[in-house]
Amino acid sequence: MVDYQGLLQAGSPLRPAAAETPVRRWIGTGAWRRLLILAALAAIWEVAARIVGSPLLLPGFLTTLGAFGEGVASGELPLRTLASLQVLVAGYAIGVVAAAILAGLATASRLGAELLSTLTAMFNPLPAIALLPIALLWFGLGTPSLLFVIVHSVLWPLALAAHAGFRAVPRPLSMVGQNLGLGGAAYVARILVPAAFPAILAGLKIGWAFAWRTLIAAELVFGVSSRSGGLGWFIYVNRNQLETANVFAGLLAIILIGLLVESLLFRTLSRLTVERWGTQNP
């Protein structure tokens, strides 16, 4: 019989690992490194503002944080943020669905692949902001125009990423699925999508970033109205009033939303999919 008690007392590798505490889990996620980077960037920002010495040109981080707090307390900044997010999420969802359809057609047939290749060659290099005059002519001044340019900014990079991911699925893996009798929707859901999801996830991130940039640029150009405009309109109005701290507060809101979406949405999605399936290293 093996003396397990003696081995444990002697410091054997069989000694149970220490219980994982919430602090250990937090350290293991690397969140502290991201916080350290953000703190360093905030310090550099504050130092640069003090060197410039003009709040009109570059307000400091603490000044911007104060303006951000005042905007939140007054309710204007949350209202503008909600207005932008509603349009952004709607346009992003439409773009994702349209990209899925195009990528599916391109994967299913050569005609679909040529269609996607031709359309992306035509429209992907076209900046979404350049379509604003056409959007105004077709849809008028309002949310439909914003949705039009957002869908354009999301559709093409996501469709290309998804199609590239489907094409990169190893041939042996496809043959395994066929040998298991999988076909149609089951083959796509259980073989193609998991194998191609790292590329799809990258396309989703790029599409989200493009959608944010396009929305803010569009709102800066024509907004919607003073009552329903989003963060871009908030930045535009405060720039005209030379309220530079409020302009930076609007930019800070955009940055914070981007960090939250990356940390809470995309990292969680990555952990539940590609890392869990083993198609991408954690």
mmCIF file of all heavy atoms in Angstrom, residues 215-248:
data_model
loop_
_atom_site.group_PDB
_atom_site.id
_atom_site.type_symbol
_atom_site.label_atom_id
_atom_site.label_comp_id
_atom_site.label_asym_id
_atom_site.label_seq_id
_atom_site.Cartn_x
_atom_site.Cartn_y
_atom_site.Cartn_z
ATOM 1 N N LEU A 215 -20.978 55.515 -37.460
ATOM 2 C CA LEU A 215 -22.097 56.179 -36.798
ATOM 3 C C LEU A 215 -21.678 57.544 -36.250
ATOM 4 O O LEU A 215 -22.376 58.546 -36.442
ATOM 5 C CB LEU A 215 -22.629 55.297 -35.665
ATOM 6 C CG LEU A 215 -23.722 55.924 -34.791
ATOM 7 C CD1 LEU A 215 -24.951 56.253 -35.625
ATOM 8 C CD2 LEU A 215 -24.081 55.015 -33.633
ATOM 9 N N ILE A 216 -20.552 57.596 -35.557
ATOM 10 C CA ILE A 216 -20.101 58.856 -34.973
ATOM 11 C C ILE A 216 -19.801 59.870 -36.071
ATOM 12 O O ILE A 216 -20.171 61.051 -35.972
ATOM 13 C CB ILE A 216 -18.866 58.641 -34.086
ATOM 14 C CG1 ILE A 216 -19.206 57.697 -32.925
ATOM 15 C CG2 ILE A 216 -18.353 59.970 -33.551
ATOM 16 C CD1 ILE A 216 -20.352 58.173 -32.061
ATOM 17 N N ALA A 217 -19.154 59.419 -37.153
ATOM 18 C CA ALA A 217 -18.857 60.330 -38.266
ATOM 19 C C ALA A 217 -20.140 60.845 -38.899
ATOM 20 O O ALA A 217 -20.255 62.037 -39.223
ATOM 21 C CB ALA A 217 -17.995 59.617 -39.307
ATOM 22 N N ALA A 218 -21.134 59.957 -39.078
ATOM 23 C CA ALA A 218 -22.396 60.375 -39.682
ATOM 24 C C ALA A 218 -23.129 61.366 -38.794
ATOM 25 O O ALA A 218 -23.690 62.357 -39.270
ATOM 26 C CB ALA A 218 -23.275 59.155 -39.952
ATOM 27 N N GLU A 219 -23.123 61.121 -37.490
ATOM 28 C CA GLU A 219 -23.792 62.045 -36.573
ATOM 29 C C GLU A 219 -23.067 63.391 -36.517
ATOM 30 O O GLU A 219 -23.694 64.432 -36.336
ATOM 31 C CB GLU A 219 -23.861 61.432 -35.175
ATOM 32 C CG GLU A 219 -24.851 60.292 -35.067
ATOM 33 C CD GLU A 219 -24.924 59.717 -33.667
ATOM 34 O OE1 GLU A 219 -23.986 59.950 -32.872
ATOM 35 O OE2 GLU A 219 -25.909 59.029 -33.365
ATOM 36 N N LEU A 220 -21.761 63.370 -36.669
ATOM 37 C CA LEU A 220 -21.010 64.623 -36.694
ATOM 38 C C LEU A 220 -21.374 65.460 -37.919
ATOM 39 O O LEU A 220 -21.363 66.684 -37.874
ATOM 40 C CB LEU A 220 -19.503 64.343 -36.699
ATOM 41 C CG LEU A 220 -18.876 63.994 -35.348
ATOM 42 C CD1 LEU A 220 -17.452 63.493 -35.545
ATOM 43 C CD2 LEU A 220 -18.880 65.205 -34.431
ATOM 44 N N VAL A 221 -21.704 64.754 -39.031
ATOM 45 C CA VAL A 221 -22.013 65.470 -40.272
ATOM 46 C C VAL A 221 -23.438 66.012 -40.245
ATOM 47 O O VAL A 221 -23.679 67.187 -40.507
ATOM 48 C CB VAL A 221 -21.802 64.555 -41.489
ATOM 49 C CG1 VAL A 221 -22.290 65.225 -42.759
ATOM 50 C CG2 VAL A 221 -20.325 64.192 -41.613
ATOM 51 N N PHE A 222 -24.414 65.124 -39.938
ATOM 52 C CA PHE A 222 -25.796 65.606 -39.995
ATOM 53 C C PHE A 222 -26.651 65.191 -38.811
ATOM 54 O O PHE A 222 -27.793 65.634 -38.696
ATOM 55 C CB PHE A 222 -26.481 65.170 -41.293
ATOM 56 C CG PHE A 222 -26.636 63.689 -41.451
ATOM 57 C CD1 PHE A 222 -27.726 63.016 -40.954
ATOM 58 C CD2 PHE A 222 -25.685 62.956 -42.151
ATOM 59 C CE1 PHE A 222 -27.874 61.654 -41.120
ATOM 60 C CE2 PHE A 222 -25.826 61.592 -42.333
ATOM 61 C CZ PHE A 222 -26.922 60.946 -41.813
ATOM 62 N N GLY A 223 -26.095 64.354 -37.906
ATOM 63 C CA GLY A 223 -26.850 63.966 -36.718
ATOM 64 C C GLY A 223 -28.215 63.414 -37.071
ATOM 65 O O GLY A 223 -28.428 62.801 -38.099
ATOM 66 N N VAL A 224 -29.177 63.658 -36.225
ATOM 67 C CA VAL A 224 -30.575 63.358 -36.516
ATOM 68 C C VAL A 224 -31.381 64.606 -36.221
ATOM 69 O O VAL A 224 -32.037 65.169 -37.072
ATOM 70 C CB VAL A 224 -31.087 62.165 -35.662
ATOM 71 C CG1 VAL A 224 -32.554 61.938 -35.940
ATOM 72 C CG2 VAL A 224 -30.302 60.910 -35.996
ATOM 73 N N SER A 225 -31.279 65.073 -35.014
ATOM 74 C CA SER A 225 -31.858 66.356 -34.609
ATOM 75 C C SER A 225 -31.318 66.665 -33.233
ATOM 76 O O SER A 225 -30.705 65.826 -32.581
ATOM 77 C CB SER A 225 -33.398 66.284 -34.590
ATOM 78 O OG SER A 225 -33.831 65.480 -33.516
ATOM 79 N N SER A 226 -31.546 67.873 -32.792
ATOM 80 C CA SER A 226 -31.019 68.245 -31.486
ATOM 81 C C SER A 226 -31.670 67.442 -30.367
ATOM 82 O O SER A 226 -31.132 67.347 -29.281
ATOM 83 C CB SER A 226 -31.246 69.745 -31.243
ATOM 84 O OG SER A 226 -32.620 70.051 -31.314
ATOM 85 N N ARG A 227 -32.846 66.870 -30.612
ATOM 86 C CA ARG A 227 -33.525 66.119 -29.565
ATOM 87 C C ARG A 227 -33.124 64.650 -29.557
ATOM 88 O O ARG A 227 -33.033 64.045 -28.502
ATOM 89 C CB ARG A 227 -35.051 66.220 -29.753
ATOM 90 C CG ARG A 227 -35.603 67.635 -29.511
ATOM 91 C CD ARG A 227 -37.115 67.640 -29.633
ATOM 92 N NE ARG A 227 -37.676 68.969 -29.370
ATOM 93 C CZ ARG A 227 -38.962 69.246 -29.433
ATOM 94 N NH1 ARG A 227 -39.837 68.300 -29.737
ATOM 95 N NH2 ARG A 227 -39.381 70.485 -29.188
ATOM 96 N N SER A 228 -32.899 64.080 -30.715
ATOM 97 C CA SER A 228 -32.647 62.641 -30.773
ATOM 98 C C SER A 228 -31.252 62.297 -31.244
ATOM 99 O O SER A 228 -30.966 61.132 -31.493
ATOM 100 C CB SER A 228 -33.677 61.972 -31.699
ATOM 101 O OG SER A 228 -33.614 62.534 -33.002
ATOM 102 N N GLY A 229 -30.366 63.280 -31.396
ATOM 103 C CA GLY A 229 -29.010 62.998 -31.835
ATOM 104 C C GLY A 229 -28.253 62.196 -30.791
ATOM 105 O O GLY A 229 -28.558 62.224 -29.600
ATOM 106 N N GLY A 230 -27.211 61.493 -31.257
ATOM 107 C CA GLY A 230 -26.438 60.643 -30.367
ATOM 108 C C GLY A 230 -25.148 61.304 -29.916
ATOM 109 O O GLY A 230 -25.034 62.527 -29.824
ATOM 110 N N LEU A 231 -24.144 60.469 -29.654
ATOM 111 C CA LEU A 231 -22.879 60.966 -29.138
ATOM 112 C C LEU A 231 -22.162 61.860 -30.143
ATOM 113 O O LEU A 231 -21.502 62.830 -29.756
ATOM 114 C CB LEU A 231 -21.984 59.770 -28.773
ATOM 115 C CG LEU A 231 -22.275 59.115 -27.421
ATOM 116 C CD1 LEU A 231 -21.458 57.846 -27.270
ATOM 117 C CD2 LEU A 231 -21.997 60.069 -26.282
ATOM 118 N N GLY A 232 -22.267 61.534 -31.419
ATOM 119 C CA GLY A 232 -21.655 62.380 -32.431
ATOM 120 C C GLY A 232 -22.228 63.780 -32.415
ATOM 121 O O GLY A 232 -21.499 64.778 -32.538
ATOM 122 N N TRP A 233 -23.550 63.870 -32.261
ATOM 123 C CA TRP A 233 -24.198 65.180 -32.179
ATOM 124 C C TRP A 233 -23.775 65.914 -30.909
ATOM 125 O O TRP A 233 -23.551 67.125 -30.918
ATOM 126 C CB TRP A 233 -25.713 64.997 -32.221
ATOM 127 C CG TRP A 233 -26.471 66.284 -32.190
ATOM 128 C CD1 TRP A 233 -27.058 66.874 -31.108
ATOM 129 C CD2 TRP A 233 -26.712 67.149 -33.292
ATOM 130 N NE1 TRP A 233 -27.660 68.048 -31.467
ATOM 131 C CE2 TRP A 233 -27.468 68.254 -32.813
ATOM 132 C CE3 TRP A 233 -26.380 67.112 -34.644
ATOM 133 C CZ2 TRP A 233 -27.876 69.293 -33.630
ATOM 134 C CZ3 TRP A 233 -26.795 68.151 -35.460
ATOM 135 C CH2 TRP A 233 -27.533 69.222 -34.960
ATOM 136 N N PHE A 234 -23.647 65.189 -29.810
ATOM 137 C CA PHE A 234 -23.180 65.768 -28.543
ATOM 138 C C PHE A 234 -21.787 66.374 -28.720
ATOM 139 O O PHE A 234 -21.515 67.495 -28.255
ATOM 140 C CB PHE A 234 -23.162 64.677 -27.473
ATOM 141 C CG PHE A 234 -22.618 65.104 -26.141
ATOM 142 C CD1 PHE A 234 -23.411 65.759 -25.226
ATOM 143 C CD2 PHE A 234 -21.301 64.838 -25.816
ATOM 144 C CE1 PHE A 234 -22.906 66.153 -23.986
ATOM 145 C CE2 PHE A 234 -20.782 65.225 -24.588
ATOM 146 C CZ PHE A 234 -21.591 65.885 -23.677
ATOM 147 N N ILE A 235 -20.894 65.654 -29.381
ATOM 148 C CA ILE A 235 -19.537 66.154 -29.620
ATOM 149 C C ILE A 235 -19.570 67.373 -30.537
ATOM 150 O O ILE A 235 -18.867 68.363 -30.315
ATOM 151 C CB ILE A 235 -18.671 65.032 -30.218
ATOM 152 C CG1 ILE A 235 -18.469 63.922 -29.186
ATOM 153 C CG2 ILE A 235 -17.321 65.571 -30.690
ATOM 154 C CD1 ILE A 235 -17.815 62.679 -29.751
ATOM 155 N N TYR A 236 -20.402 67.309 -31.565
ATOM 156 C CA TYR A 236 -20.491 68.409 -32.528
ATOM 157 C C TYR A 236 -20.965 69.704 -31.867
ATOM 158 O O TYR A 236 -20.388 70.776 -32.068
ATOM 159 C CB TYR A 236 -21.441 68.005 -33.653
ATOM 160 C CG TYR A 236 -21.713 69.088 -34.671
ATOM 161 C CD1 TYR A 236 -20.792 69.367 -35.672
ATOM 162 C CD2 TYR A 236 -22.898 69.826 -34.632
ATOM 163 C CE1 TYR A 236 -21.040 70.368 -36.610
ATOM 164 C CE2 TYR A 236 -23.151 70.823 -35.557
ATOM 165 C CZ TYR A 236 -22.224 71.084 -36.543
ATOM 166 O OH TYR A 236 -22.465 72.077 -37.467
ATOM 167 N N VAL A 237 -22.014 69.608 -31.062
ATOM 168 C CA VAL A 237 -22.572 70.798 -30.410
ATOM 169 C C VAL A 237 -21.560 71.400 -29.443
ATOM 170 O O VAL A 237 -21.347 72.618 -29.416
ATOM 171 C CB VAL A 237 -23.883 70.441 -29.688
ATOM 172 C CG1 VAL A 237 -24.346 71.594 -28.804
ATOM 173 C CG2 VAL A 237 -24.961 70.082 -30.694
ATOM 174 N N ASN A 238 -20.909 70.580 -28.647
ATOM 175 C CA ASN A 238 -19.952 71.082 -27.670
ATOM 176 C C ASN A 238 -18.689 71.623 -28.334
ATOM 177 O O ASN A 238 -18.071 72.550 -27.802
ATOM 178 C CB ASN A 238 -19.594 69.983 -26.664
ATOM 179 C CG ASN A 238 -20.668 69.772 -25.622
ATOM 180 O OD1 ASN A 238 -20.777 70.516 -24.660
ATOM 181 N ND2 ASN A 238 -21.490 68.750 -25.824
ATOM 182 N N ARG A 239 -18.337 71.092 -29.481
ATOM 183 C CA ARG A 239 -17.201 71.660 -30.214
ATOM 184 C C ARG A 239 -17.531 73.076 -30.677
ATOM 185 O O ARG A 239 -16.697 73.987 -30.577
ATOM 186 C CB ARG A 239 -16.858 70.788 -31.415
ATOM 187 C CG ARG A 239 -15.616 71.230 -32.170
ATOM 188 C CD ARG A 239 -15.614 70.713 -33.581
ATOM 189 N NE ARG A 239 -16.712 71.278 -34.375
ATOM 190 C CZ ARG A 239 -16.913 71.005 -35.656
ATOM 191 N NH1 ARG A 239 -16.141 70.136 -36.280
ATOM 192 N NH2 ARG A 239 -17.921 71.568 -36.305
ATOM 193 N N ASN A 240 -18.739 73.290 -31.184
ATOM 194 C CA ASN A 240 -19.145 74.623 -31.631
ATOM 195 C C ASN A 240 -19.205 75.620 -30.477
ATOM 196 O O ASN A 240 -18.986 76.823 -30.669
ATOM 197 C CB ASN A 240 -20.500 74.561 -32.331
ATOM 198 C CG ASN A 240 -20.412 73.887 -33.689
ATOM 199 O OD1 ASN A 240 -19.334 73.791 -34.279
ATOM 200 N ND2 ASN A 240 -21.535 73.412 -34.189
ATOM 201 N N GLN A 241 -19.489 75.111 -29.290
ATOM 202 C CA GLN A 241 -19.565 75.977 -28.114
ATOM 203 C C GLN A 241 -18.225 76.095 -27.390
ATOM 204 O O GLN A 241 -18.154 76.708 -26.320
ATOM 205 C CB GLN A 241 -20.626 75.434 -27.152
ATOM 206 C CG GLN A 241 -22.037 75.448 -27.719
ATOM 207 C CD GLN A 241 -23.049 74.786 -26.808
ATOM 208 O OE1 GLN A 241 -22.687 74.167 -25.799
ATOM 209 N NE2 GLN A 241 -24.323 74.891 -27.152
ATOM 210 N N LEU A 242 -17.175 75.496 -27.980
ATOM 211 C CA LEU A 242 -15.818 75.512 -27.412
ATOM 212 C C LEU A 242 -15.765 74.894 -26.020
ATOM 213 O O LEU A 242 -14.940 75.274 -25.180
ATOM 214 C CB LEU A 242 -15.271 76.946 -27.369
ATOM 215 C CG LEU A 242 -15.090 77.635 -28.736
ATOM 216 C CD1 LEU A 242 -14.515 79.028 -28.548
ATOM 217 C CD2 LEU A 242 -14.203 76.801 -29.651
ATOM 218 N N GLU A 243 -16.656 73.926 -25.779
ATOM 219 C CA GLU A 243 -16.637 73.162 -24.528
ATOM 220 C C GLU A 243 -15.781 71.914 -24.764
ATOM 221 O O GLU A 243 -16.279 70.801 -24.916
ATOM 222 C CB GLU A 243 -18.053 72.786 -24.103
ATOM 223 C CG GLU A 243 -18.953 73.960 -23.782
ATOM 224 C CD GLU A 243 -18.579 74.606 -22.454
ATOM 225 O OE1 GLU A 243 -17.790 73.993 -21.687
ATOM 226 O OE2 GLU A 243 -19.061 75.715 -22.183
ATOM 227 N N THR A 244 -14.458 72.129 -24.779
ATOM 228 C CA THR A 244 -13.553 71.043 -25.159
ATOM 229 C C THR A 244 -13.606 69.885 -24.166
ATOM 230 O O THR A 244 -13.485 68.720 -24.557
ATOM 231 C CB THR A 244 -12.112 71.574 -25.264
ATOM 232 O OG1 THR A 244 -12.101 72.750 -26.073
ATOM 233 C CG2 THR A 244 -11.207 70.534 -25.898
ATOM 234 N N ALA A 245 -13.783 70.190 -22.886
ATOM 235 C CA ALA A 245 -13.862 69.118 -21.889
ATOM 236 C C ALA A 245 -15.053 68.206 -22.169
ATOM 237 O O ALA A 245 -14.961 66.976 -22.021
ATOM 238 C CB ALA A 245 -13.959 69.717 -20.490
ATOM 239 N N ASN A 246 -16.187 68.787 -22.590
ATOM 240 C CA ASN A 246 -17.354 67.972 -22.931
ATOM 241 C C ASN A 246 -17.120 67.164 -24.205
ATOM 242 O O ASN A 246 -17.628 66.051 -24.349
ATOM 243 C CB ASN A 246 -18.585 68.858 -23.095
ATOM 244 C CG ASN A 246 -19.097 69.391 -21.777
ATOM 245 O OD1 ASN A 246 -18.845 68.805 -20.731
ATOM 246 N ND2 ASN A 246 -19.806 70.505 -21.810
ATOM 247 N N VAL A 247 -16.369 67.743 -25.146
ATOM 248 C CA VAL A 247 -16.018 66.989 -26.354
ATOM 249 C C VAL A 247 -15.222 65.746 -25.973
ATOM 250 O O VAL A 247 -15.506 64.636 -26.444
ATOM 251 C CB VAL A 247 -15.206 67.878 -27.320
ATOM 252 C CG1 VAL A 247 -14.665 67.036 -28.476
ATOM 253 C CG2 VAL A 247 -16.064 69.009 -27.851
ATOM 254 N N PHE A 248 -14.230 65.922 -25.105
ATOM 255 C CA PHE A 248 -13.428 64.774 -24.670
ATOM 256 C C PHE A 248 -14.251 63.813 -23.810
ATOM 257 O O PHE A 248 -13.991 62.617 -23.800
ATOM 258 C CB PHE A 248 -12.187 65.255 -23.920
ATOM 259 C CG PHE A 248 -11.047 65.610 -24.811
ATOM 260 C CD1 PHE A 248 -11.008 66.819 -25.472
ATOM 261 C CD2 PHE A 248 -10.003 64.717 -25.009
ATOM 262 C CE1 PHE A 248 -9.957 67.154 -26.308
ATOM 263 C CE2 PHE A 248 -8.941 65.032 -25.838
ATOM 264 C CZ PHE A 248 -8.908 66.249 -26.497
#
